[in-house]
Amino acid sequence: MDPFVNATLKIDGSKSNGAQLFRINCAGCHGISAQGLVGPNLRSISDRNKDSKLIKQIVSGKTPPMPSFEMDPKSMADLLSYLHSLK
Ligand code: HEC
């Protein structure tokens, strides 16, 4: 498995830190409550996608106009924890 994905999945992320990262980096395109804007609605996203796929989506930059994000595994784990909470 990809070492970054692996490192991220070992960390128990903080949802509140993740919510803050989301507001700063993602809400402009995905909406303040992830309801969708320029980017798609992310509600229940983790029912539709595996964590490894979500992580790759965020760091790869392969789906423009979504940029690639460089973050450390802790921040990614926090963000993932927030994405899991989107129902
Ligand atoms: C510049 C606008 C923009 C920003 C900023 C952005 N996204 Fe996106 N995002 C998009 C677009 C557009 C797509 C659809 C890409 C495609 O599949 O063609 C997308 C797709 C996604 C998907 C896949 C959705 C699905 O249904 O499969 C996820 C997950 C995602 N973004 C998460 C994030 C997260 C988390 C952040 C912040 C770290 C972020 N995005 C920041 C525009 C953006």
Side-chain angles (χ1 to χ4, degrees):
M1 195 193 276
D2 180 273
F4 179 76
V5 171
N6 213 4
T8 298
L9 295 179
K10 279 189 188 142
I11 300 169
D12 195 13
S14 149
K15 187 178 116 187
S16 58
N17 284 351
Q20 205 173 348
L21 287 169
F22 186 86
R23 277 196 298 275
I24 297 166
N25 296 295
C26 323
C29 287
H30 290 282
I32 191 69
S33 56
Q35 78 279 15
L37 214 57
V38 181
N41 184 326
L42 298 180
R43 303 212 145 253
S44 301
I45 185 71
S46 45
D47 296 343
R48 290 180 267 131
N49 289 285
K50 286 198 293 190
D51 285 349
S52 55
K53 192 175 164 211
L54 291 176
I55 295 168
K56 283 183 187 142
Q57 167 90 41
I58 295 163
V59 298
S60 74
K62 283 188 183 146
T63 54
M66 181 163 154
S68 65
F69 290 89
E70 274 187 42
M71 47 179 101
D72 54 287
K74 167 71 172 99
S75 300
M76 182 58 81
D78 292 347
L79 191 55
L80 208 52
S81 161
Y82 175 71
L83 293 178
H84 289 165
S85 76
L86 294 171
K87 290 300 166 203

